[in-house]
Amino acid sequence: MALFGLVLGVASLVVSMAVMSGFETTLQKAMTDVSGYVQVVKRSRFPDDWRELEEKIRKADPKLVSAARFVFVEGIMAHNGQISGVLLEGIDKDRVNETLNLGSRVKEGSADLSAPSDVPLALIGSGLAKKMGLNIGDQFRVVLPIADSSDPSSFNRKVGTFKLQGVVELGKYEWNERFIMIDLKVAQDVAAIGDRYTGLMLKFDDAAYAREAGFRISTALGSPYWVRDWRDSNENLFDAVAVERPVIFFVVSIIIFVAAFNISSSLFVNVMQRFKDIAILKTVGVSRKDVIKIFAAQGLILGAAGLILGFILGLILCVLFNWAQGRLGLISGAVYRVDSIQVNIRFLDTIAICVATMLICFLATLAPAKRGADLNPMEGLRNE
């Protein structure tokens, strides 16, 4: 039972750390795949030369890999008698593949917005496609409010027709439920905004470098531009994961503490049952230190066995968790921002689990080992 409890404790730690790490990795990958590593947003509505802006950014940080213009426009989607509020994102189709990683997120169809078509092509989030009953090749309409140039308090209606080119799993719940991605030029024409754009999406070689790059770019560009990296828009979630990770590690480790007490109790019983054997060993010259080593080794062997079996069970549970997500809907996107989590077992988490487990098991063996080492040989042989 002591070994069984240890196996459960280790397996629980493996699964909990894998899910926490997976949530963080899944959210990070969604942000960098869909919105780039860094976004530079213009505060002014006046058009400017985006090539000059890109050159300024490249001078501020030569590690820039690629940049693509984007624009956001809100509207209402209508299809088969259903309507839904949507966010149109226009992206520079000539640079989108260099800057974003939409191709890996396509569930149906294609992410190619440059394919020949009489009707402008669009990519939409998987949740929106399911809600509106859209299939690849279907056409749908989006109604946009256009401000009246003569009367800013009134709006005119403009309708854009699009053809579904691909259904994309965007990684975040609200994106899947609202996002429609089209070519930048098409978005500008439909919204009647001329050459204006919201900003630039930037790509770097390393996501971890994005914050440093964002600081450099913000310093170089100054107040006319707002710079944010992939972490900024979900800072609270990433901070929560960082705080909760050690807390969950400690709480779940209590299972290992309980199992270690069971191991200690088993070793105490073993010491009592082997008083005679211990007495004989001490009589023939085995030192007190050697007796401690014998019982400590016994506890560590139990700990190692529990650690290995626990990791195997934890890996099996991680596989089952991945399988159950798609079929049972374990993760609520409305609550956790993501619809699914790809569990991720990190090397540092593995080391921490191994060290904690073996250390707890070692400490649990000290009391029974000391009890056996302190045995008087005469006491052990008294009744023999």
Side-chain angles (χ1 to χ4, degrees):
M1 290 300 294
L3 182 61
F4 180 70
L6 186 60
V7 170
L8 287 182
V10 172
S12 299
L13 265 181
V14 170
V15 174
S16 59
M17 291 297 99
V19 171
M20 292 292 289
S21 299
F23 174 79
E24 188 175 11
T25 302
T26 300
L27 189 57
Q28 173 190 325
K29 194 170 188 307
M31 297 299 298
T32 55
D33 284 353
V34 178
S35 62
Y37 291 66
V38 176
Q39 288 188 1
V40 177
V41 179
K42 300 193 309 173
R43 297 182 187 273
S44 171
R45 291 181 177 272
F46 296 103
D48 58 10
D49 190 342
W50 65 272
R51 294 178 182 83
E52 292 183 5
L53 175 59
E54 181 183 0
E55 187 61 29
K56 291 179 182 178
I57 294 173
R58 197 172 294 279
K59 287 181 179 179
D61 197 321
K63 293 183 180 179
L64 176 66
V65 175
S66 178
R69 288 174 296 164
F70 71 96
V71 66
F72 284 128
V73 183
E74 290 190 289
I76 298 176
M77 177 180 178
H79 182 70
N80 286 342
Q82 300 183 75
I83 59 173
S84 178
V86 296
L87 187 64
L88 276 176
E89 182 182 30
I91 314 173
D92 187 346
K93 65 181 180 181
D94 296 327
R95 293 196 174 195
V96 61
N97 293 328
E98 301 173 9
T99 309
L100 305 181
N101 189 26
L102 297 178
S104 65
R105 295 190 165 273
V106 175
K107 291 182 64 177
E108 299 178 46
S110 167
D112 184 12
L113 294 175
S114 301
S117 175
D118 296 334
V119 180
L121 300 175
L123 310 176
I124 71 172
S126 57
L128 182 60
K130 183 177 180 180
K131 179 169 64 176
M132 304 301 286
L134 284 167
N135 296 310
I136 301 300
D138 288 351
Q139 294 187 16
F140 59 90
R141 294 179 179 179
V142 176
V143 182
L144 302 178
I146 307 297
D148 193 325
S149 58
S150 59
D151 183 6
S153 63
S154 64
F155 292 87
N156 297 318
R157 180 182 65 180
K158 189 168 183 180
V159 180
T161 302
F162 304 95
K163 181 179 178 181
L164 181 58
Q165 173 74 349
V167 176
V168 188
E169 177 59 50
L170 296 172
K172 289 182 63 179
Y173 175 78
E174 58 264 36
W175 288 353
N176 283 330
E177 295 294 320
R178 292 194 64 200
F179 256 41
I180 300 177
M181 309 178 83
I182 59 177
D183 177 40
L184 174 67
K185 181 61 177 175
V186 173
Q188 290 171 335
D189 291 342
V190 172
I193 57 175
D195 291 331
R196 293 204 302 267
Y197 60 96
T198 302
L200 295 180
M201 294 180 180
L202 311 180
K203 180 180 180 180
F204 295 88
D205 287 326
D206 186 9
Y209 177 72
R211 176 142 295 188
E212 180 182 345
F215 178 77
R216 290 182 178 180
I217 294 169
S218 179
T219 303
L221 296 181
S223 58
Y225 297 91
W226 176 38
V227 181
R228 63 178 183 180
D229 60 58
W230 58 266
R231 188 184 176 97
D232 286 335
S233 57
N234 291 278
E235 189 79 39
N236 58 334
L237 286 177
F238 289 111
D239 288 343
V241 171
V243 172
E244 291 170 4
R245 181 189 297 277
V247 174
I248 291 178
F249 188 93
F250 174 77
V251 171
V252 179
S253 294
I254 293 176
I255 301 175
I256 297 180
F257 275 104
V258 174
F261 276 114
N262 289 334
I263 291 176
S264 182
S265 300
S266 300
L267 290 178
F268 261 116
V269 172
N270 194 27
V271 168
M272 298 301 178
Q273 291 176 344
R274 296 186 176 278
F275 258 22
K276 174 186 174 182
D277 298 330
I278 297 171
I280 293 173
L281 287 174
K282 300 192 75 172
T283 302
V284 298
V286 176
S287 67
R288 180 177 183 275
K289 183 183 291 186
D290 290 335
V291 174
I292 291 178
K293 288 181 179 178
I294 291 172
F295 285 101
Q298 185 177 357
L300 289 176
I301 289 173
L302 283 174
L307 181 63
I308 294 171
L309 294 176
F311 259 100
I312 293 173
L313 178 60
L315 292 175
I316 293 173
L317 292 176
C318 286
V319 173
L320 290 176
F321 178 78
N322 276 337
W323 175 83
Q325 284 185 93
R327 291 162 178 79
L328 303 180
L330 299 180
I331 306 298
S332 172
V335 176
Y336 298 104
R337 302 285 184 91
V338 295
D339 296 312
S340 63
I341 296 174
Q342 291 298 319
V343 293
N344 179 24
I345 302 176
R346 294 180 177 176
F347 177 74
L348 289 179
D349 291 338
T350 301
I351 296 298
I353 294 171
C354 292
V355 171
T357 301
M358 297 306 294
L359 179 61
I360 292 171
C361 290
F362 174 73
L363 295 176
T365 63
L366 292 181
K370 187 176 182 300
R371 178 69 182 88
D374 291 339
L375 174 67
N376 188 332
M378 296 302 297
E379 181 182 348
L381 297 172
R382 180 182 303 167
N383 298 323
E384 297 299 326

